[in-house]
């Protein structure tokens, strides 16, 4: 993860549920809303065995706000979650190149 976060020209926000233990559910939801508001694209690891509640809420908020959601990996997820994904890419480095090529103009406007 550290290698990805150090890629220039991309600002990363990674939800940390361990840091939210002192927050109410509503506070946590508002933080997720702010993350999605400020994002041009959401990157989702599809290789994980399952999605946490935070992952689902984050993806749903991004979907409602019509944000791009890139799924990374080849593992299929359930059809409802799959419908949230704008574009599925097999490898992380290709996803980063895709963001740098296609989404850089969005964030500069």
């Amino acid at each position: 993860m550290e290698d990805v976060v150090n890629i220039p020209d991309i600002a990363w926000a990674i939800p940390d549920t361990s840091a939210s233990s002192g927050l109410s559910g509503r506070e946590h939801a508002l933080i997720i809303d702010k993350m999605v508001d400020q994002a041009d694209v959401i990157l989702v690891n599809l290789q994980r065995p399952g999605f946490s509640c935070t992952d689902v809420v984050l993806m749903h908020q991004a979907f409602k706000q019509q944000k791009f959601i890139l799924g990374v990996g080849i593992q299929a997820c359930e059809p409802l979650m799959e419908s949230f994904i704008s574009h599925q890419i097999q490898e992380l480095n290709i996803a980063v190149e895709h963001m740098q090529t296609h989404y850089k103009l969005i964030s500069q406007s």
Side-chain angles (χ1 to χ4, degrees), residues 9 15 17 24 29 34 87 99 101-102 105:
D9 301 326
T17 53
S24 70
K34 292 288 183 190
H87 190 78
M99 288 189 301
T101 302
H102 300 287
L105 294 175

Side-chain angles (χ1 to χ4, degrees), residues 34-104:
K34 292 288 183 190
M35 285 176 58
V36 172
D37 284 344
Q38 295 175 9
D40 293 319
V41 61
I42 305 295
L43 192 66
V44 178
N45 181 1
L46 299 178
Q47 293 302 110
R48 292 175 41 188
F51 294 107
S52 70
C53 290
T54 300
D55 295 333
V56 173
V57 170
L58 195 141
M59 288 176 65
H60 183 255
Q61 283 302 110
F63 182 79
K64 283 184 2 184
Q65 292 185 28
Q66 299 182 341
K67 300 287 182 160
F68 296 102
I69 302 173
L70 292 181
V72 179
I74 56 174
Q75 187 167 339
C77 47
E78 66 178 67
L80 179 60
M81 295 301 286
E82 199 170 280
S83 71
F84 289 162
I85 306 294
S86 307
H87 190 78
Q88 188 169 348
I89 299 174
Q90 290 185 5
E91 295 181 22
L92 180 60
N93 61 331
I94 297 169
V96 170
E97 286 177 23
H98 184 81
M99 288 189 301
Q100 289 174 321
T101 302
H102 300 287
Y103 299 144
K104 193 170 185 178

